[in-house]
Amino acid sequence: MDCYTANWNPLGDSAFYRKYELYSMDWDLKEELRDCLVAAAPYGGPIALLRNPWRKEKAASVRPVLEIYSASGMPLASLMWKSGPVVSLGWSAEEELLCVQEDGVVLVYGLHGDFRRHFSMGNEVLQNRVLDARIFHTELGSGVAILTGAHRFTLSANVSDLKLRRMPEVPGLQSAPSCWTTLCRDRVAHILLAVGPDLYLLDHATCSPVTLPGLAPGVSSFLQMAVSFTSRHLALFTDTGYIWMGTASFKEKLCEFNCNIRAPPKQMVWCSRPRSKERAVVVAWERRLMVVGDTPESIQFVLDEDSYLVPELDGVRIFSRTTHEFLHEVPVASEEIFKIASMAPGALLLEAQKEYEKESQKADEYLREIQELGQLPQAVQQCIEAAGHEHWPDMQKSLLRAASFGKCFLDRFPPDSFVRMCQDLRILNAIRDYHIGIPLTYSQYKQLTIQVLLDRLVLRRLYPLAIQICEYLRLPEVQGVSRILAHWACYKVQQKDVSDEDVARAINQKLGDTPGVSYSDIAARAYGCGRTELAIKLLEYEPRSGEQVPLLLKMKRSKLALSKAIESGDTDLVFTVLLHLKNELNRGDFFMTLRNQPMALSLYRQHIEGRVAALQKAAEAFNKAKNDFAAKATEDQMRLLRLQRCLEDELGGRFLDLSVHDTVTTLILGGHNKRAEQVARDFRIPDKRLWWLKLTALADLEDWEELEKFSKSKKSPIGYLPFVEICMKQHNKYEAKKYASRVGPEQKVKALLLVGDVAQAADVAIEHRNEAEMSLVLSHCTGATDGATVDKIQRARAQAQKK
């Protein structure tokens, strides 16, 4: 017991602090920490290092390397930095690395060094450059604050929803402030800065001077600031060597400590435990670490090498090139059990259990003493609680054995807390393993929640461990195993060195029919990675057609989407695909697609018949209103005009996405010529327009036999040149030549040129003695093949000039 408390350090009479090793770091750093930009995420998060070649005393010839490690020093990513100079690094709440460049651009990287996105902090920051930056966390998310070369601040409280705020100007600020930090109050981010002996608080509209209550006189400058993990408390280090600690509202002073050191510290962070009345600040210099609080004494540690402090919810992580340690206040339950000569119920129960294992009668004496005081339930609870705050599994087991021993002598002690603690400790010990490297404490774990922890394991691609935890806790599949398997599948489709068939087969074998897993979501990720064929293969495993079809349409696989929609038997889904096809394909391809799908064609015919009926009804109403117009008074005139305007809107294509012209075309193609002509008459479509519609539709369908019959049905009101143009558009020169022979004299030359008969076109132009036609023919002649034709036209021109 005495040996166990050897690393406990008292701070005053009411609190002890202890520092223990989390990991021995084997990351083999090539640079000292002082020569790198360093960022470590809270809650046992990763560490990012970027050698800083942009420092003035360093040579900038070597390209820096961005390295990301787990908290145990296991490498996660390493990439050569190819962008601009970096001013600051920081981790977001989602464990994304934010790299703030000198030009105000913030690059966002994933845990494995994958580039996610970038954004700019505005033109003013670009023009004036970045002097300093802070990444901070609020209830709204993770934010970035920038100090520019013009000594102005720009801030965004949430990088996921970027809204830049230019903070007010600080009066008299001609150089960079001696120190500054971000402060979140009432869900609003502020900037607190020091200019000489003065403090200013900036919000989005005002710059307010701040006066600290009870500050010792003689302060001419503030050298360092620190905001507590919960943003409720503030500490400032002055040039007189005093540390002022108080509330972040500046209304109350907690204490003031004289550390007798005037050199500015490298770092200063808060070290406090949730719901604890004790408040302490950890200050680090080159080779000294000091813990100060509301007492005249302090705790001091010697630092053998460069170290970096990471504030946590319930303590401070301290890492260097060789070790990673945790400094925190000893929890009350642990203190009461392990304190020297403690007579707390938990301490007596622990001793009773140890004596019981020795088969000593002292176990009965200790147990009777606890029972006589009626404190056995309290003793069991103390041992359970203390086990949660212990880092080493052996001590956890010892305390849980004592709790289990005490429970045997209680009739109605609820087992939930004991079982839950055993589960929590098993999970914590698993993730604290060196190869996992997430050194969460029990308090951090409870604050983070199991769902966030699972997300972080997924982010690290530790899928087997995440699945084991879900199965151990018996979480619902939708929240647990299914969700993790879906993430695994989305990661699997990004492995481009594996063939589409192998990836699809592996995903299906692993997932099968797991409830809550959407193959369409996985296929969408594959399509986003440029693997369209893999996406189509994955969609084959998706049982819901309603999920298959939208993605197939997005991938431009409309015909396959139509087949899937028809297979589903969902008419609404079929209509959705048909309308998409109608907008995507030309008219000929659209109707050819329908011909190959009888069900789709039948549905579309029903759709058209309903449209025709609606149009005819609208036309009848319009004609009736028009006939009645002459017999009605002027007051009805406006009503008729409004009716006509509404009808024109309908006929303009706003009714069922079909215009009158489309309806006529569809009726013609369906063989309903009489109904098409009736609609054309009802809506006064000119004969020329009707001929154009039928000509275009038949050519799109390449129904040349029907087109021939149509051309001979009666004299064409549009002539036969359009027939030639349409046939050539469909690359059918044979049919075009047939219609070219029917073209009238005034358009004969154009028709012959369209079918490529330049020589005959020249003869016709010469026969007509038309200078414009001869010039047109010459413009189509090429020197290599049409030399004789050119000579013929030139001779004809010369003869015409002689006459």
Side-chain angles (χ1 to χ4, degrees):
M1 198 79 70
D2 296 344
C3 204
Y4 183 75
T5 60
N7 65 340
W8 289 20
N9 298 277
L11 188 64
D13 299 329
S14 57
F16 290 88
Y17 286 79
R18 65 179 173 186
K19 181 161 69 78
Y20 58 82
E21 184 177 287
L22 296 172
Y23 303 107
S24 176
M25 305 290 276
D26 294 327
W27 49 3
D28 190 27
L29 296 183
K30 298 179 178 60
E31 301 285 340
E32 294 291 338
L33 290 179
R34 71 168 71 93
D35 296 326
C36 300
L37 292 174
V38 183
Y43 293 100
I47 301 168
L49 301 175
L50 180 64
R51 181 182 176 274
N52 190 0
W54 304 289
R55 290 172 56 181
K56 293 181 180 178
E57 64 270 20
K58 293 287 179 181
S61 58
V62 180
R63 190 178 290 277
V65 176
L66 175 63
E67 297 174 313
I68 301 175
Y69 298 90
S70 70
S72 60
M74 293 285 288
L76 297 177
S78 177
L79 62 145
M80 195 73 69
W81 189 259
K82 298 179 181 179
S83 192
V86 178
V87 175
S88 180
L89 299 177
W91 291 94
S92 71
E94 295 79 21
E95 290 195 326
E96 290 183 325
L97 182 62
L98 308 180
C99 307
V100 184
Q101 294 190 152
E102 194 177 56
D103 58 1
V105 174
V106 181
L107 306 179
V108 183
Y109 288 87
L111 195 65
H112 297 277
D114 51 307
F115 178 75
R116 299 285 179 84
R117 64 186 186 280
H118 75 280
F119 58 88
S120 173
M121 294 298 290
N123 289 329
E124 182 185 354
V125 176
L126 174 62
Q127 294 171 2
N128 296 302
R129 319 303 281 177
V130 177
L131 285 184
D132 199 4
R134 300 278 189 279
I135 286 86
F136 59 95
H137 306 289
T138 69
E139 296 177 2
L140 302 175
S142 302
V144 178
I146 299 289
L147 171 64
T148 70
H151 308 120
R152 298 290 300 270
F153 289 92
T154 298
L155 178 146
S156 174
N158 186 2
V159 296
S160 298
D161 182 19
L162 194 66
K163 294 178 182 177
L164 299 178
R165 284 166 40 196
R166 187 170 183 260
M167 308 304 275
E169 189 174 359
V170 180
L173 184 61
Q174 301 297 325
S175 60
S178 56
C179 59
W180 65 280
T181 189
T182 56
L183 194 62
C184 189
R185 297 169 55 185
D186 301 325
R187 297 173 60 88
V188 177
H190 299 72
I191 299 287
L192 178 67
L193 70 150
V195 182
D198 301 320
L199 293 172
Y200 296 94
L201 185 67
L202 308 181
D203 60 19
H204 65 282
T206 60
C207 173
S208 308
V210 173
T211 302
L212 299 179
L215 180 66
V219 175
S220 59
S221 179
F222 294 92
L223 305 180
Q224 189 67 272
M225 295 179 181
V227 180
S228 66
F229 197 86
T230 58
S231 298
R232 294 177 182 173
H233 299 93
L234 177 70
L236 294 100
F237 187 94
T238 69
D239 59 347
T240 58
Y242 278 81
I243 300 175
W244 182 92
M245 288 175 270
T247 60
S249 62
F250 311 111
K251 294 180 180 179
E252 182 183 353
K253 172 185 173 181
L254 299 177
C255 63
E256 198 167 18
F257 183 85
N258 184 7
C259 60
N260 296 314
I261 300 176
R262 299 199 173 191
K266 286 177 57 181
Q267 277 185 280
M268 183 170 70
V269 298
W270 282 84
C271 179
S272 56
R273 188 166 44 82
R275 295 181 296 279
S276 173
K277 295 181 180 179
E278 301 300 324
R279 298 285 181 266
V281 171
V282 181
V283 192
W285 287 270
E286 284 290 339
R287 290 291 181 264
R288 181 184 299 187
L289 191 75
M290 185 181 293
V291 184
V292 302
D294 190 12
T295 62
E297 301 85 17
S298 64
I299 304 170
Q300 299 197 31
F301 300 94
V302 175
L303 299 176
D304 297 328
E305 52 189 343
D306 256 357
S307 299
Y308 189 86
L309 308 184
V310 186
E312 292 282 6
L313 175 70
D314 54 349
V316 179
R317 283 160 52 205
I318 307 165
F319 65 85
S320 63
R321 288 174 62 94
T322 57
T323 62
H324 195 160
E325 300 173 306
F326 186 66
L327 171 65
H328 73 130
E329 180 190 350
V330 177
V332 174
S334 298
E335 182 182 338
E336 290 183 347
I337 291 175
F338 296 111
K339 191 165 57 175
I340 297 173
S342 173
M343 296 298 292
L348 294 176
L349 181 59
L350 182 61
E351 289 299 321
Q353 192 274 332
K354 289 180 178 178
E355 295 299 328
Y356 174 76
E357 288 183 344
K358 297 176 185 177
E359 299 182 354
S360 169
Q361 65 179 15
K362 287 185 179 181
D364 183 62
E365 295 175 6
Y366 285 128
L367 198 59
R368 285 182 181 276
E369 183 177 350
I370 301 170
Q371 287 178 320
E372 287 174 0
L373 296 173
Q375 294 179 331
L376 189 54
Q378 181 183 349
V380 173
Q381 196 60 47
Q382 268 188 349
C383 289
I384 293 173
E385 185 179 345
H389 295 293
E390 294 303 315
H391 183 74
W392 306 112
D394 289 343
M395 185 54 68
Q396 296 168 6
K397 293 176 183 177
S398 179
L399 288 164
L400 289 174
R401 277 195 296 265
S404 179
F405 176 70
K407 278 194 318 112
C408 295
F409 300 94
L410 292 171
D411 294 333
R412 297 182 179 179
F413 187 85
D416 296 350
S417 59
F418 181 83
V419 173
R420 194 160 47 246
M421 182 60 74
C422 290
Q423 290 177 333
D424 292 341
L425 287 176
R426 187 172 180 183
I427 292 170
L428 286 171
N429 291 333
I431 64 173
R432 288 170 181 167
D433 182 80
Y434 176 82
H435 296 94
I436 307 301
I438 306 179
L440 283 180
T441 64
Y442 178 75
S443 299
Q444 294 168 21
Y445 168 69
K446 287 301 182 183
Q447 179 72 18
L448 200 62
T449 73
I450 185 64
Q451 290 298 337
V452 177
L453 175 59
L454 290 173
D455 289 340
R456 297 199 169 189
L457 292 175
V458 167
L459 197 63
R460 288 162 173 76
R461 300 170 185 167
L462 299 170
Y463 305 107
L465 177 59
I467 290 174
Q468 287 176 359
I469 291 175
C470 292
E471 292 174 343
Y472 176 63
L473 295 177
R474 298 179 181 176
L475 296 177
E477 286 199 343
V478 175
Q479 299 176 11
V481 175
S482 297
R483 187 169 65 93
I484 293 164
L485 286 175
H487 280 289
W488 167 81
C490 290
Y491 165 67
K492 192 75 176 173
V493 300
Q494 300 175 41
Q495 298 178 341
K496 297 188 176 181
D497 55 331
V498 185
S499 67
D500 294 344
E501 293 79 5
D502 292 343
V503 172
R505 189 184 311 110
I507 290 175
N508 181 244
Q509 289 175 352
K510 194 77 172 179
L511 270 59
D513 297 327
T514 305
V517 175
S518 172
Y519 280 97
S520 61
D521 292 342
I522 303 168
R525 177 64 66 88
Y527 177 64
C529 296
R531 304 185 72 172
T532 304
E533 294 303 320
L534 174 58
I536 293 173
K537 292 179 184 298
L538 290 170
L539 282 177
E540 293 295 329
Y541 302 119
E542 176 59 63
R544 298 165 297 175
S545 299
E547 297 294 327
Q548 291 177 318
V549 169
L551 184 57
L552 288 171
L553 292 176
K554 185 178 179 181
M555 293 190 296
K556 307 296 185 186
R557 301 300 175 97
S558 305
K559 294 181 181 179
L560 181 57
L562 181 59
S563 299
K564 294 292 183 183
I566 291 171
E567 289 175 10
S568 72
D570 187 341
T571 55
D572 290 339
L573 198 59
V574 176
F575 275 126
T576 300
V577 179
L578 286 176
L579 292 176
H580 185 88
L581 283 169
K582 182 178 180 296
N583 294 327
E584 182 184 77
L585 305 176
N586 62 48
R587 189 172 298 165
D589 291 340
F590 175 65
F591 287 110
M592 285 298 293
T593 302
L594 290 188
R595 279 188 171 185
N596 297 327
Q597 298 287 355
M599 179 185 174
L601 181 59
S602 176
L603 287 173
Y604 193 70
R605 279 177 177 168
Q606 294 176 20
H607 178 64
I608 293 301
E609 288 171 359
R611 167 61 182 156
V612 169
L615 287 173
Q616 288 178 339
K617 186 175 180 180
E620 290 172 2
F622 176 69
N623 291 331
K624 184 176 183 300
K626 187 174 181 181
N627 293 334
D628 291 344
F629 176 70
K632 292 211 176 207
T634 308
E635 63 181 283
D636 289 337
Q637 184 173 0
M638 292 306 297
R639 186 182 305 135
L640 179 59
L641 291 175
R642 285 195 295 271
L643 174 62
Q644 183 178 359
R645 191 176 299 114
C646 292
L647 185 59
E648 288 171 351
D649 286 343
E650 286 188 329
L651 301 185
R654 302 181 191 178
F655 189 88
L656 295 177
D657 296 319
L658 280 173
S659 68
V660 177
H661 292 166
D662 290 334
T663 303
V664 171
T665 302
T666 306
L667 290 171
I668 292 170
L669 293 173
H672 304 293
N673 290 308
K674 291 185 178 180
R675 297 187 69 181
E677 292 172 4
Q678 180 64 42
V679 172
R681 283 196 299 272
D682 287 342
F683 293 97
R684 298 182 180 178
I685 296 178
D687 285 346
K688 288 185 178 181
R689 183 57 181 165
L690 184 60
W691 270 70
W692 259 110
L693 291 173
K694 191 161 187 178
L695 168 62
T696 306
L698 293 173
D700 285 342
L701 286 175
E702 298 183 3
D703 194 343
W704 308 116
E705 184 178 349
E706 187 63 30
L707 184 62
E708 176 72 14
K709 292 178 182 178
F710 172 60
S711 69
K712 295 178 179 179
S713 61
K714 60 179 180 179
K715 185 177 179 181
S716 170
I718 58 174
Y720 291 96
L721 183 61
F723 284 75
V724 178
E725 294 172 341
I726 289 292
C727 291
M728 290 303 297
K729 186 178 178 182
Q730 296 293 334
H731 307 290
N732 192 331
K733 194 172 184 179
Y734 173 77
E735 293 291 334
K737 284 186 175 182
K738 287 198 309 186
Y739 297 113
S741 64
R742 302 186 198 176
V743 175
E746 66 279 1
Q747 295 179 324
K748 194 75 169 181
V749 172
K750 290 183 181 179
L752 292 171
L753 290 175
L754 281 173
V755 298
D757 195 343
V758 179
Q760 190 175 351
D763 292 339
V764 173
I766 292 171
E767 182 183 346
H768 291 170
R769 298 180 182 179
N770 188 314
E771 180 64 28
E773 290 181 348
M774 286 189 281
S775 299
L776 181 62
V777 174
L778 285 174
S779 67
H780 283 73
C781 292
T782 57
T785 59
D786 300 316
T789 302
V790 172
D791 292 340
K792 186 191 295 184
I793 293 175
Q794 296 295 355
R795 287 197 301 271
R797 280 181 166 178
Q799 290 176 1
Q801 287 176 358
K802 289 180 180 178
K803 293 180 181 180

